[in-house]
Amino acid sequence: QVQLVESGGGLVQAGGSLRLSCAASGRTFSSDYALGWFRQASGKEREFVIAITWNAGLTSYTDSVKGRFTISRDKAKNTVYLQMNSLKPDDTAVYYCAAAPTQNWVPTIGNEYRYWGQGTQVTVSS
């Protein structure tokens, strides 16, 4: 089992920044995982945002966050960070951290992820 705990959500004005954190724990968490972020806006389907492989640091992200969002990991803390800059009202959603077993690629589909956090609300006001 892998447990994921997100933090860092909140309310921010358009153009502002937020950093989300996701702390991973559990006996089965290892370097053969990718940690990713998904989001789900009210009335919409969940969508992939960005992810990183734990070992090699390979990343993938959706086009709508290119140049604005970055993902990083702190191996000592078993924590992945989502830095969100130039936030837009369209970024408003519940953000979920998720973990997927992988070795050499970055999963981008929700069904590839085995473990999920509880989610944290991000609200961007115009």
Side-chain angles (χ1 to χ4, degrees):
Q1 290 287 336
V2 175
Q3 291 79 43
L4 302 171
V5 179
E6 304 107 330
S7 61
L11 173 65
V12 64
Q13 288 188 331
S17 299
L18 278 177
R19 188 178 79 158
L20 305 183
S21 301
C22 174
S25 61
R27 189 173 58 182
T28 59
F29 183 73
S30 70
S31 61
D32 294 332
Y33 270 86
L35 290 185
W37 291 94
F38 289 74
R39 65 186 180 186
Q40 187 167 19
S42 180
K44 296 186 177 180
E45 293 186 354
R46 180 182 63 194
E47 66 170 344
F48 170 78
V49 178
I50 197 168
I52 187 168
T53 61
W54 197 252
N55 191 27
L58 301 175
T59 61
S60 180
Y61 47 86
T62 191
D63 286 346
S64 64
V65 306
K66 183 178 180 181
R68 301 188 300 122
F69 291 12
T70 56
I71 189 169
S72 61
R73 72 212 188 285
D74 185 330
K75 291 187 175 181
K77 296 181 178 180
N78 274 6
T79 298
V80 66
Y81 301 99
L82 173 58
Q83 179 65 44
M84 304 185 292
N85 299 327
S86 302
L87 282 161
K88 306 174 182 180
D90 284 349
D91 295 317
T92 295
V94 177
Y95 283 70
Y96 297 92
C97 178
T102 182
Q103 291 188 347
N104 298 317
W105 73 95
V106 185
T108 61
I109 299 173
N111 289 343
E112 296 177 292
Y113 285 78
R114 187 174 297 175
Y115 303 102
W116 293 82
Q118 298 276 42
T120 185
Q121 177 71 45
V122 172
T123 303
V124 185
S125 63
S126 57

